[in-house]
Amino acid sequence: MTDTKTLSTDIQEFLQSATAEEKEVLQQFLNGLKQKHAGDHPSYVSGWLQAEGKWNEDGSYQMRIPIHKGIQNPLEIVHGGVTATLMDTCMGTLANHSTPAEKAAVTLEIKVNYLKPGKGNYLYCRTEVISQSSKTLFLTSTIKDENDQTIAFGTGTFYVIDFLA
Amino acid sequence: MTDTKTLSTDIQEFLQSATAEEKEVLQQFLNGLKQKHAGDHPSYVSGWLQAEGKWNEDGSYQMRIPIHKGIQNPLEIVHGGVTATLMDTCMGTLANHSTPAEKAAVTLEIKVNYLKPGKGNYLYCRTEVISQSSKTLFLTSTIKDENDQTIAFGTGTFYVIDFLA
Amino acid sequence: MTDTKTLSTDIQEFLQSATAEEKEVLQQFLNGLKQKHAGDHPSYVSGWLQAEGKWNEDGSYQMRIPIHKGIQNPLEIVHGGVTATLMDTCMGTLANHSTPAEKAAVTLEIKVNYLKPGKGNYLYCRTEVISQSSKTLFLTSTIKDENDQTIAFGTGTFYVIDFLA
Amino acid sequence: MTDTKTLSTDIQEFLQSATAEEKEVLQQFLNGLKQKHAGDHPSYVSGWLQAEGKWNEDGSYQMRIPIHKGIQNPLEIVHGGVTATLMDTCMGTLANHSTPAEKAAVTLEIKVNYLKPGKGNYLYCRTEVISQSSKTLFLTSTIKDENDQTIAFGTGTFYVIDFLA
């Protein structure tokens, strides 16, 4: 178990030698952790992404995440794993929303095509259910930047399981 | 720019209301950030994963990440996005290692098949280059848990670009 | 080289023992071969499928193929390989149409999600270019049956090469 | 229903104007149809491919198909749809072999990465089951040419259904 005092000292020490960029990344992570604490996220992963969800009237679902140094790769574009995580999170939320309350939907497979570098201030992911049976769901996701450029496209299959509370 | 004093106060305040689990997650993130500061990671994302790489004699490359609350989904299995990120990071490292120094390799597409729930203390990802031309690389990854169970399999295409220093 | 007389005799012999279904399949294949002879198809494969293409005003392209015994699997639904071939052909036609005359576009990867059994009299595949650079194209395809049910969804990446005449 | 006399006349007429290449393609198709008639293939599609299967001692399964004009694209390499069909057929045979007798396995999704042009006299596809549960199977396939060059790699998920006799 993490001791608060030790953790606090650990952080103070880190801050003394941290670069400006590292402090910014820690601040971004803390923002996500506070959102998770406030109940805004089902997982620390979507907290880390600071993902904001929105239901559309046509049944699709979308998420927005802020771009910062903490999610970029060395080429200063959004890390491909983050793009995939955004899709999986967006698809997973919609898939679980689309299954009965006593069931859960887990990812069976996901494919992401990277079309343009992820740059700017935000990424927007829009997801829809294309087909659904009692046991599987198939979804597509389109990720755009703030200039409405499509930067990634994904397809995913989710499998419906009994939720073990 | 992040002000150190404000950040420090922000963290102290958070720690006062944080749950034991949240403190553990913050500790894990701090560990990754310290590793990044020490030069152990090319990106904050692989720092966040606390990924440890290892080159194998057969030319393949592998990465190990510790499993903790911060990377699990609400079902207490490793978040699918984290599994994808581990693969993309492992593939990306090997792909860039396999291209000339003045070039970089970026993900064109990746597909992940989730085979078993990711549980236990660690995940191990082993990646190899299956085929390579002057412009593209094709790689496969197998992720296993500490009991040698295959929990995910991935394929990815990387595209070789001129590195803009 | 195939001797016409031998081939003719060979076919006559086959017809004597052939079942009604086998004769129907041979008839379908012959129809495709005649279409190929007439210049309606760039390859024997699209001839075999008896694919009919159509350009849409929005820049998308679609193909229709008739369903018959010769393209079904033992469960009497369209063979998954035929569905994939229809997509690859439809995508390939649009990809090549979208590249300069001195270039050709070849499939780098394709993924097909099978959503419902392919049944009825026809399959309709609609393909569009989602993103294009000087070296790659990314396309999606939706295959529907005659009742407008989506039976498959596909994504594909094509790579642009110099055409060697 | 196809009338034998009409079909026979139809074929004779076609042969009078057919090119040498078209006769060769018809011969190849007839060979496959005769193999299907003899019970060598579960479907006309694998007959068309003239696929020959072989069980390996390690539990994997492989198929070999001859390359001829009828399965090539205009660039004189094996049509991508044929490569996909070979994989789907090879995976489907192994998947169905690996499920109980009263069940059938159908393709849920397949992804094919094309690595080198398919050329030469034969293609060899080797498939193995990577993971299996009561409801799904995950398989990989590697396709090589006769010089042992890997020309394509595929992954596929099959879904287990009750066989309706």
Side-chain angles (χ1 to χ4, degrees), chain A residues 103-136:
Chain A
K103 305 279 184 180
V106 294
T107 322
L108 199 54
E109 58 86 22
I110 194 169
K111 180 195 173 205
V112 187
N113 284 82
Y114 298 89
L115 306 173
K116 283 194 169 55
K119 292 184 174 178
N121 296 304
Y122 291 96
L123 288 184
Y124 299 80
C125 181
R126 188 182 170 282
T127 296
E128 58 187 311
V129 177
I130 301 295
S131 185
Q132 181 169 6
S133 73
S134 62
K135 295 302 284 177
T136 59

PDB file of all heavy atoms in Angstrom, chain A residues 103-136:
ATOM      1  N   LYS A 103     -25.264  -7.545 -18.771  1.00  0.00           N
ATOM      2  CA  LYS A 103     -24.194  -8.016 -19.662  1.00  0.00           C
ATOM      3  C   LYS A 103     -23.076  -6.977 -19.754  1.00  0.00           C
ATOM      4  O   LYS A 103     -23.288  -5.803 -19.459  1.00  0.00           O
ATOM      5  CB  LYS A 103     -24.745  -8.247 -21.083  1.00  0.00           C
ATOM      6  CG  LYS A 103     -25.947  -9.183 -21.175  1.00  0.00           C
ATOM      7  CD  LYS A 103     -25.521 -10.623 -21.144  1.00  0.00           C
ATOM      8  CE  LYS A 103     -26.730 -11.547 -21.340  1.00  0.00           C
ATOM      9  NZ  LYS A 103     -26.324 -12.958 -21.318  1.00  0.00           N
ATOM     10  N   ALA A 104     -21.919  -7.421 -20.211  1.00  0.00           N
ATOM     11  CA  ALA A 104     -20.824  -6.499 -20.505  1.00  0.00           C
ATOM     12  C   ALA A 104     -20.290  -6.848 -21.887  1.00  0.00           C
ATOM     13  O   ALA A 104     -20.433  -7.981 -22.354  1.00  0.00           O
ATOM     14  CB  ALA A 104     -19.721  -6.626 -19.462  1.00  0.00           C
ATOM     15  N   ALA A 105     -19.710  -5.872 -22.559  1.00  0.00           N
ATOM     16  CA  ALA A 105     -19.137  -6.101 -23.893  1.00  0.00           C
ATOM     17  C   ALA A 105     -17.631  -5.898 -23.810  1.00  0.00           C
ATOM     18  O   ALA A 105     -17.174  -4.852 -23.345  1.00  0.00           O
ATOM     19  CB  ALA A 105     -19.751  -5.141 -24.903  1.00  0.00           C
ATOM     20  N   VAL A 106     -16.871  -6.922 -24.227  1.00  0.00           N
ATOM     21  CA  VAL A 106     -15.406  -6.815 -24.202  1.00  0.00           C
ATOM     22  C   VAL A 106     -14.853  -6.869 -25.623  1.00  0.00           C
ATOM     23  O   VAL A 106     -15.445  -7.484 -26.513  1.00  0.00           O
ATOM     24  CB  VAL A 106     -14.770  -7.945 -23.348  1.00  0.00           C
ATOM     25  CG1 VAL A 106     -15.165  -7.788 -21.875  1.00  0.00           C
ATOM     26  CG2 VAL A 106     -15.160  -9.315 -23.869  1.00  0.00           C
ATOM     27  N   THR A 107     -13.708  -6.215 -25.817  1.00  0.00           N
ATOM     28  CA  THR A 107     -13.116  -6.142 -27.155  1.00  0.00           C
ATOM     29  C   THR A 107     -12.607  -7.508 -27.601  1.00  0.00           C
ATOM     30  O   THR A 107     -11.830  -8.145 -26.902  1.00  0.00           O
ATOM     31  CB  THR A 107     -11.916  -5.166 -27.171  1.00  0.00           C
ATOM     32  OG1 THR A 107     -12.201  -4.046 -26.350  1.00  0.00           O
ATOM     33  CG2 THR A 107     -11.619  -4.699 -28.586  1.00  0.00           C
ATOM     34  N   LEU A 108     -13.068  -7.945 -28.778  1.00  0.00           N
ATOM     35  CA  LEU A 108     -12.577  -9.187 -29.363  1.00  0.00           C
ATOM     36  C   LEU A 108     -11.417  -8.848 -30.300  1.00  0.00           C
ATOM     37  O   LEU A 108     -10.393  -9.522 -30.317  1.00  0.00           O
ATOM     38  CB  LEU A 108     -13.716  -9.854 -30.134  1.00  0.00           C
ATOM     39  CG  LEU A 108     -13.625 -11.335 -30.461  1.00  0.00           C
ATOM     40  CD1 LEU A 108     -13.377 -12.161 -29.214  1.00  0.00           C
ATOM     41  CD2 LEU A 108     -14.914 -11.798 -31.145  1.00  0.00           C
ATOM     42  N   GLU A 109     -11.584  -7.807 -31.075  1.00  0.00           N
ATOM     43  CA  GLU A 109     -10.514  -7.344 -31.971  1.00  0.00           C
ATOM     44  C   GLU A 109     -10.780  -5.915 -32.372  1.00  0.00           C
ATOM     45  O   GLU A 109     -11.922  -5.465 -32.423  1.00  0.00           O
ATOM     46  CB  GLU A 109     -10.396  -8.239 -33.214  1.00  0.00           C
ATOM     47  CG  GLU A 109     -11.630  -8.375 -34.066  1.00  0.00           C
ATOM     48  CD  GLU A 109     -11.814  -7.302 -35.116  1.00  0.00           C
ATOM     49  OE1 GLU A 109     -10.835  -6.653 -35.501  1.00  0.00           O
ATOM     50  OE2 GLU A 109     -12.955  -7.090 -35.547  1.00  0.00           O
ATOM     51  N   ILE A 110      -9.681  -5.208 -32.649  1.00  0.00           N
ATOM     52  CA  ILE A 110      -9.781  -3.831 -33.109  1.00  0.00           C
ATOM     53  C   ILE A 110      -8.667  -3.599 -34.127  1.00  0.00           C
ATOM     54  O   ILE A 110      -7.567  -4.136 -33.998  1.00  0.00           O
ATOM     55  CB  ILE A 110      -9.675  -2.836 -31.927  1.00  0.00           C
ATOM     56  CG1 ILE A 110     -10.108  -1.434 -32.333  1.00  0.00           C
ATOM     57  CG2 ILE A 110      -8.276  -2.816 -31.346  1.00  0.00           C
ATOM     58  CD1 ILE A 110     -10.261  -0.505 -31.120  1.00  0.00           C
ATOM     59  N   LYS A 111      -9.002  -2.872 -35.194  1.00  0.00           N
ATOM     60  CA  LYS A 111      -7.983  -2.495 -36.175  1.00  0.00           C
ATOM     61  C   LYS A 111      -8.032  -0.988 -36.353  1.00  0.00           C
ATOM     62  O   LYS A 111      -9.116  -0.407 -36.491  1.00  0.00           O
ATOM     63  CB  LYS A 111      -8.264  -3.161 -37.524  1.00  0.00           C
ATOM     64  CG  LYS A 111      -7.219  -2.803 -38.602  1.00  0.00           C
ATOM     65  CD  LYS A 111      -7.744  -3.165 -39.969  1.00  0.00           C
ATOM     66  CE  LYS A 111      -6.858  -2.710 -41.105  1.00  0.00           C
ATOM     67  NZ  LYS A 111      -7.619  -2.533 -42.356  1.00  0.00           N
ATOM     68  N   VAL A 112      -6.869  -0.365 -36.331  1.00  0.00           N
ATOM     69  CA  VAL A 112      -6.781   1.079 -36.494  1.00  0.00           C
ATOM     70  C   VAL A 112      -5.932   1.402 -37.719  1.00  0.00           C
ATOM     71  O   VAL A 112      -4.812   0.896 -37.858  1.00  0.00           O
ATOM     72  CB  VAL A 112      -6.128   1.741 -35.264  1.00  0.00           C
ATOM     73  CG1 VAL A 112      -6.196   3.264 -35.393  1.00  0.00           C
ATOM     74  CG2 VAL A 112      -6.780   1.277 -33.977  1.00  0.00           C
ATOM     75  N   ASN A 113      -6.475   2.199 -38.636  1.00  0.00           N
ATOM     76  CA  ASN A 113      -5.695   2.715 -39.763  1.00  0.00           C
ATOM     77  C   ASN A 113      -5.342   4.166 -39.478  1.00  0.00           C
ATOM     78  O   ASN A 113      -6.240   4.991 -39.258  1.00  0.00           O
ATOM     79  CB  ASN A 113      -6.497   2.607 -41.073  1.00  0.00           C
ATOM     80  CG  ASN A 113      -6.531   1.183 -41.591  1.00  0.00           C
ATOM     81  OD1 ASN A 113      -7.345   0.380 -41.133  1.00  0.00           O
ATOM     82  ND2 ASN A 113      -5.619   0.846 -42.500  1.00  0.00           N
ATOM     83  N   TYR A 114      -4.049   4.457 -39.490  1.00  0.00           N
ATOM     84  CA  TYR A 114      -3.561   5.799 -39.210  1.00  0.00           C
ATOM     85  C   TYR A 114      -3.416   6.547 -40.528  1.00  0.00           C
ATOM     86  O   TYR A 114      -2.662   6.124 -41.405  1.00  0.00           O
ATOM     87  CB  TYR A 114      -2.224   5.712 -38.483  1.00  0.00           C
ATOM     88  CG  TYR A 114      -2.350   5.018 -37.146  1.00  0.00           C
ATOM     89  CD1 TYR A 114      -2.212   3.632 -37.035  1.00  0.00           C
ATOM     90  CD2 TYR A 114      -2.652   5.739 -36.000  1.00  0.00           C
ATOM     91  CE1 TYR A 114      -2.356   2.999 -35.812  1.00  0.00           C
ATOM     92  CE2 TYR A 114      -2.797   5.106 -34.768  1.00  0.00           C
ATOM     93  CZ  TYR A 114      -2.649   3.738 -34.685  1.00  0.00           C
ATOM     94  OH  TYR A 114      -2.803   3.100 -33.478  1.00  0.00           O
ATOM     95  N   LEU A 115      -4.152   7.652 -40.680  1.00  0.00           N
ATOM     96  CA  LEU A 115      -4.267   8.313 -41.975  1.00  0.00           C
ATOM     97  C   LEU A 115      -3.476   9.616 -42.059  1.00  0.00           C
ATOM     98  O   LEU A 115      -2.929   9.934 -43.119  1.00  0.00           O
ATOM     99  CB  LEU A 115      -5.749   8.553 -42.284  1.00  0.00           C
ATOM    100  CG  LEU A 115      -6.612   7.266 -42.205  1.00  0.00           C
ATOM    101  CD1 LEU A 115      -8.085   7.608 -42.357  1.00  0.00           C
ATOM    102  CD2 LEU A 115      -6.185   6.247 -43.239  1.00  0.00           C
ATOM    103  N   LYS A 116      -3.433  10.352 -40.968  1.00  0.00           N
ATOM    104  CA  LYS A 116      -2.677  11.610 -40.928  1.00  0.00           C
ATOM    105  C   LYS A 116      -2.104  11.766 -39.520  1.00  0.00           C
ATOM    106  O   LYS A 116      -2.645  11.211 -38.574  1.00  0.00           O
ATOM    107  CB  LYS A 116      -3.604  12.794 -41.222  1.00  0.00           C
ATOM    108  CG  LYS A 116      -3.980  12.982 -42.669  1.00  0.00           C
ATOM    109  CD  LYS A 116      -4.608  14.351 -42.903  1.00  0.00           C
ATOM    110  CE  LYS A 116      -4.737  14.637 -44.397  1.00  0.00           C
ATOM    111  NZ  LYS A 116      -5.473  13.600 -45.125  1.00  0.00           N
ATOM    112  N   PRO A 117      -1.032  12.563 -39.373  1.00  0.00           N
ATOM    113  CA  PRO A 117      -0.478  12.781 -38.028  1.00  0.00           C
ATOM    114  C   PRO A 117      -1.501  13.474 -37.127  1.00  0.00           C
ATOM    115  O   PRO A 117      -2.175  14.408 -37.573  1.00  0.00           O
ATOM    116  CB  PRO A 117       0.724  13.700 -38.276  1.00  0.00           C
ATOM    117  CG  PRO A 117       1.021  13.617 -39.735  1.00  0.00           C
ATOM    118  CD  PRO A 117      -0.270  13.288 -40.412  1.00  0.00           C
ATOM    119  N   GLY A 118      -1.628  13.025 -35.886  1.00  0.00           N
ATOM    120  CA  GLY A 118      -2.527  13.653 -34.922  1.00  0.00           C
ATOM    121  C   GLY A 118      -1.856  14.868 -34.300  1.00  0.00           C
ATOM    122  O   GLY A 118      -0.912  14.725 -33.534  1.00  0.00           O
ATOM    123  N   LYS A 119      -2.347  16.047 -34.661  1.00  0.00           N
ATOM    124  CA  LYS A 119      -1.762  17.293 -34.180  1.00  0.00           C
ATOM    125  C   LYS A 119      -2.856  18.276 -33.766  1.00  0.00           C
ATOM    126  O   LYS A 119      -4.025  18.056 -34.038  1.00  0.00           O
ATOM    127  CB  LYS A 119      -0.893  17.932 -35.279  1.00  0.00           C
ATOM    128  CG  LYS A 119       0.356  17.130 -35.574  1.00  0.00           C
ATOM    129  CD  LYS A 119       1.248  17.838 -36.583  1.00  0.00           C
ATOM    130  CE  LYS A 119       2.568  17.068 -36.752  1.00  0.00           C
ATOM    131  NZ  LYS A 119       3.435  17.681 -37.758  1.00  0.00           N
ATOM    132  N   GLY A 120      -2.458  19.375 -33.117  1.00  0.00           N
ATOM    133  CA  GLY A 120      -3.402  20.418 -32.726  1.00  0.00           C
ATOM    134  C   GLY A 120      -3.716  20.339 -31.244  1.00  0.00           C
ATOM    135  O   GLY A 120      -2.908  19.867 -30.451  1.00  0.00           O
ATOM    136  N   ASN A 121      -4.915  20.815 -30.879  1.00  0.00           N
ATOM    137  CA  ASN A 121      -5.289  20.889 -29.463  1.00  0.00           C
ATOM    138  C   ASN A 121      -6.166  19.739 -28.988  1.00  0.00           C
ATOM    139  O   ASN A 121      -6.153  19.389 -27.818  1.00  0.00           O
ATOM    140  CB  ASN A 121      -6.016  22.209 -29.195  1.00  0.00           C
ATOM    141  CG  ASN A 121      -5.112  23.398 -29.428  1.00  0.00           C
ATOM    142  OD1 ASN A 121      -4.041  23.485 -28.825  1.00  0.00           O
ATOM    143  ND2 ASN A 121      -5.515  24.305 -30.316  1.00  0.00           N
ATOM    144  N   TYR A 122      -6.947  19.179 -29.893  1.00  0.00           N
ATOM    145  CA  TYR A 122      -7.880  18.127 -29.496  1.00  0.00           C
ATOM    146  C   TYR A 122      -7.987  17.037 -30.562  1.00  0.00           C
ATOM    147  O   TYR A 122      -7.767  17.290 -31.738  1.00  0.00           O
ATOM    148  CB  TYR A 122      -9.303  18.692 -29.300  1.00  0.00           C
ATOM    149  CG  TYR A 122      -9.436  19.586 -28.110  1.00  0.00           C
ATOM    150  CD1 TYR A 122      -9.341  20.971 -28.254  1.00  0.00           C
ATOM    151  CD2 TYR A 122      -9.667  19.056 -26.843  1.00  0.00           C
ATOM    152  CE1 TYR A 122      -9.459  21.816 -27.159  1.00  0.00           C
ATOM    153  CE2 TYR A 122      -9.784  19.885 -25.741  1.00  0.00           C
ATOM    154  CZ  TYR A 122      -9.679  21.268 -25.897  1.00  0.00           C
ATOM    155  OH  TYR A 122      -9.791  22.095 -24.817  1.00  0.00           O
ATOM    156  N   LEU A 123      -8.376  15.845 -30.143  1.00  0.00           N
ATOM    157  CA  LEU A 123      -8.809  14.794 -31.068  1.00  0.00           C
ATOM    158  C   LEU A 123     -10.267  14.475 -30.761  1.00  0.00           C
ATOM    159  O   LEU A 123     -10.671  14.432 -29.587  1.00  0.00           O
ATOM    160  CB  LEU A 123      -7.962  13.529 -30.909  1.00  0.00           C
ATOM    161  CG  LEU A 123      -6.519  13.575 -31.416  1.00  0.00           C
ATOM    162  CD1 LEU A 123      -5.878  12.196 -31.270  1.00  0.00           C
ATOM    163  CD2 LEU A 123      -6.442  14.032 -32.875  1.00  0.00           C
ATOM    164  N   TYR A 124     -11.031  14.231 -31.821  1.00  0.00           N
ATOM    165  CA  TYR A 124     -12.443  13.918 -31.690  1.00  0.00           C
ATOM    166  C   TYR A 124     -12.705  12.534 -32.278  1.00  0.00           C
ATOM    167  O   TYR A 124     -12.391  12.308 -33.446  1.00  0.00           O
ATOM    168  CB  TYR A 124     -13.300  14.929 -32.461  1.00  0.00           C
ATOM    169  CG  TYR A 124     -13.152  16.344 -31.970  1.00  0.00           C
ATOM    170  CD1 TYR A 124     -12.056  17.124 -32.357  1.00  0.00           C
ATOM    171  CD2 TYR A 124     -14.092  16.896 -31.106  1.00  0.00           C
ATOM    172  CE1 TYR A 124     -11.913  18.426 -31.895  1.00  0.00           C
ATOM    173  CE2 TYR A 124     -13.946  18.209 -30.643  1.00  0.00           C
ATOM    174  CZ  TYR A 124     -12.855  18.961 -31.037  1.00  0.00           C
ATOM    175  OH  TYR A 124     -12.704  20.244 -30.572  1.00  0.00           O
ATOM    176  N   CYS A 125     -13.273  11.639 -31.491  1.00  0.00           N
ATOM    177  CA  CYS A 125     -13.581  10.283 -31.984  1.00  0.00           C
ATOM    178  C   CYS A 125     -15.088  10.086 -32.031  1.00  0.00           C
ATOM    179  O   CYS A 125     -15.776  10.299 -31.032  1.00  0.00           O
ATOM    180  CB  CYS A 125     -12.947   9.249 -31.043  1.00  0.00           C
ATOM    181  SG  CYS A 125     -13.219   7.551 -31.559  1.00  0.00           S
ATOM    182  N   ARG A 126     -15.591   9.700 -33.196  1.00  0.00           N
ATOM    183  CA  ARG A 126     -17.029   9.429 -33.359  1.00  0.00           C
ATOM    184  C   ARG A 126     -17.228   7.952 -33.680  1.00  0.00           C
ATOM    185  O   ARG A 126     -16.631   7.436 -34.621  1.00  0.00           O
ATOM    186  CB  ARG A 126     -17.602  10.297 -34.481  1.00  0.00           C
ATOM    187  CG  ARG A 126     -19.114  10.219 -34.579  1.00  0.00           C
ATOM    188  CD  ARG A 126     -19.634  11.070 -35.738  1.00  0.00           C
ATOM    189  NE  ARG A 126     -21.044  10.801 -35.953  1.00  0.00           N
ATOM    190  CZ  ARG A 126     -21.493   9.714 -36.584  1.00  0.00           C
ATOM    191  NH1 ARG A 126     -20.663   8.833 -37.073  1.00  0.00           N
ATOM    192  NH2 ARG A 126     -22.800   9.524 -36.725  1.00  0.00           N
ATOM    193  N   THR A 127     -18.066   7.294 -32.896  1.00  0.00           N
ATOM    194  CA  THR A 127     -18.239   5.843 -33.003  1.00  0.00           C
ATOM    195  C   THR A 127     -19.696   5.482 -33.236  1.00  0.00           C
ATOM    196  O   THR A 127     -20.584   6.096 -32.650  1.00  0.00           O
ATOM    197  CB  THR A 127     -17.758   5.178 -31.692  1.00  0.00           C
ATOM    198  OG1 THR A 127     -16.357   5.419 -31.548  1.00  0.00           O
ATOM    199  CG2 THR A 127     -17.990   3.691 -31.704  1.00  0.00           C
ATOM    200  N   GLU A 128     -19.923   4.494 -34.086  1.00  0.00           N
ATOM    201  CA  GLU A 128     -21.294   4.015 -34.263  1.00  0.00           C
ATOM    202  C   GLU A 128     -21.349   2.495 -34.346  1.00  0.00           C
ATOM    203  O   GLU A 128     -20.376   1.849 -34.738  1.00  0.00           O
ATOM    204  CB  GLU A 128     -21.955   4.632 -35.499  1.00  0.00           C
ATOM    205  CG  GLU A 128     -21.255   4.386 -36.799  1.00  0.00           C
ATOM    206  CD  GLU A 128     -21.894   5.172 -37.951  1.00  0.00           C
ATOM    207  OE1 GLU A 128     -23.125   5.137 -38.105  1.00  0.00           O
ATOM    208  OE2 GLU A 128     -21.147   5.813 -38.718  1.00  0.00           O
ATOM    209  N   VAL A 129     -22.472   1.937 -33.943  1.00  0.00           N
ATOM    210  CA  VAL A 129     -22.705   0.502 -34.064  1.00  0.00           C
ATOM    211  C   VAL A 129     -23.215   0.235 -35.471  1.00  0.00           C
ATOM    212  O   VAL A 129     -24.233   0.800 -35.876  1.00  0.00           O
ATOM    213  CB  VAL A 129     -23.746   0.005 -33.034  1.00  0.00           C
ATOM    214  CG1 VAL A 129     -24.027  -1.478 -33.229  1.00  0.00           C
ATOM    215  CG2 VAL A 129     -23.270   0.268 -31.608  1.00  0.00           C
ATOM    216  N   ILE A 130     -22.496  -0.608 -36.227  1.00  0.00           N
ATOM    217  CA  ILE A 130     -22.899  -0.937 -37.594  1.00  0.00           C
ATOM    218  C   ILE A 130     -23.798  -2.161 -37.611  1.00  0.00           C
ATOM    219  O   ILE A 130     -24.736  -2.255 -38.395  1.00  0.00           O
ATOM    220  CB  ILE A 130     -21.657  -1.200 -38.480  1.00  0.00           C
ATOM    221  CG1 ILE A 130     -20.734   0.028 -38.524  1.00  0.00           C
ATOM    222  CG2 ILE A 130     -22.061  -1.622 -39.893  1.00  0.00           C
ATOM    223  CD1 ILE A 130     -21.321   1.249 -39.178  1.00  0.00           C
ATOM    224  N   SER A 131     -23.520  -3.113 -36.727  1.00  0.00           N
ATOM    225  CA  SER A 131     -24.273  -4.363 -36.715  1.00  0.00           C
ATOM    226  C   SER A 131     -24.216  -4.963 -35.322  1.00  0.00           C
ATOM    227  O   SER A 131     -23.207  -4.829 -34.622  1.00  0.00           O
ATOM    228  CB  SER A 131     -23.662  -5.336 -37.739  1.00  0.00           C
ATOM    229  OG  SER A 131     -24.413  -6.509 -37.837  1.00  0.00           O
ATOM    230  N   GLN A 132     -25.290  -5.614 -34.914  1.00  0.00           N
ATOM    231  CA  GLN A 132     -25.353  -6.164 -33.564  1.00  0.00           C
ATOM    232  C   GLN A 132     -26.168  -7.448 -33.552  1.00  0.00           C
ATOM    233  O   GLN A 132     -27.236  -7.516 -34.147  1.00  0.00           O
ATOM    234  CB  GLN A 132     -26.014  -5.119 -32.645  1.00  0.00           C
ATOM    235  CG  GLN A 132     -26.131  -5.555 -31.207  1.00  0.00           C
ATOM    236  CD  GLN A 132     -26.536  -4.415 -30.280  1.00  0.00           C
ATOM    237  OE1 GLN A 132     -26.848  -3.308 -30.737  1.00  0.00           O
ATOM    238  NE2 GLN A 132     -26.527  -4.656 -28.980  1.00  0.00           N
ATOM    239  N   SER A 133     -25.643  -8.473 -32.897  1.00  0.00           N
ATOM    240  CA  SER A 133     -26.424  -9.682 -32.642  1.00  0.00           C
ATOM    241  C   SER A 133     -26.481  -9.859 -31.122  1.00  0.00           C
ATOM    242  O   SER A 133     -26.008  -8.998 -30.385  1.00  0.00           O
ATOM    243  CB  SER A 133     -25.759 -10.894 -33.301  1.00  0.00           C
ATOM    244  OG  SER A 133     -24.594 -11.269 -32.589  1.00  0.00           O
ATOM    245  N   SER A 134     -27.040 -10.969 -30.651  1.00  0.00           N
ATOM    246  CA  SER A 134     -27.121 -11.148 -29.194  1.00  0.00           C
ATOM    247  C   SER A 134     -25.746 -11.382 -28.573  1.00  0.00           C
ATOM    248  O   SER A 134     -25.557 -11.158 -27.379  1.00  0.00           O
ATOM    249  CB  SER A 134     -28.050 -12.321 -28.864  1.00  0.00           C
ATOM    250  OG  SER A 134     -27.527 -13.513 -29.415  1.00  0.00           O
ATOM    251  N   LYS A 135     -24.781 -11.807 -29.372  1.00  0.00           N
ATOM    252  CA  LYS A 135     -23.458 -12.138 -28.823  1.00  0.00           C
ATOM    253  C   LYS A 135     -22.327 -11.218 -29.259  1.00  0.00           C
ATOM    254  O   LYS A 135     -21.279 -11.198 -28.619  1.00  0.00           O
ATOM    255  CB  LYS A 135     -23.078 -13.591 -29.215  1.00  0.00           C
ATOM    256  CG  LYS A 135     -23.955 -14.667 -28.614  1.00  0.00           C
ATOM    257  CD  LYS A 135     -23.974 -14.616 -27.098  1.00  0.00           C
ATOM    258  CE  LYS A 135     -22.698 -15.173 -26.460  1.00  0.00           C
ATOM    259  NZ  LYS A 135     -22.733 -15.048 -24.989  1.00  0.00           N
ATOM    260  N   THR A 136     -22.479 -10.518 -30.370  1.00  0.00           N
ATOM    261  CA  THR A 136     -21.400  -9.645 -30.834  1.00  0.00           C
ATOM    262  C   THR A 136     -21.928  -8.294 -31.321  1.00  0.00           C
ATOM    263  O   THR A 136     -23.088  -8.170 -31.720  1.00  0.00           O
ATOM    264  CB  THR A 136     -20.605 -10.280 -32.005  1.00  0.00           C
ATOM    265  OG1 THR A 136     -21.501 -10.526 -33.087  1.00  0.00           O
ATOM    266  CG2 THR A 136     -19.930 -11.582 -31.600  1.00  0.00           C
TER     267      THR A 136
END
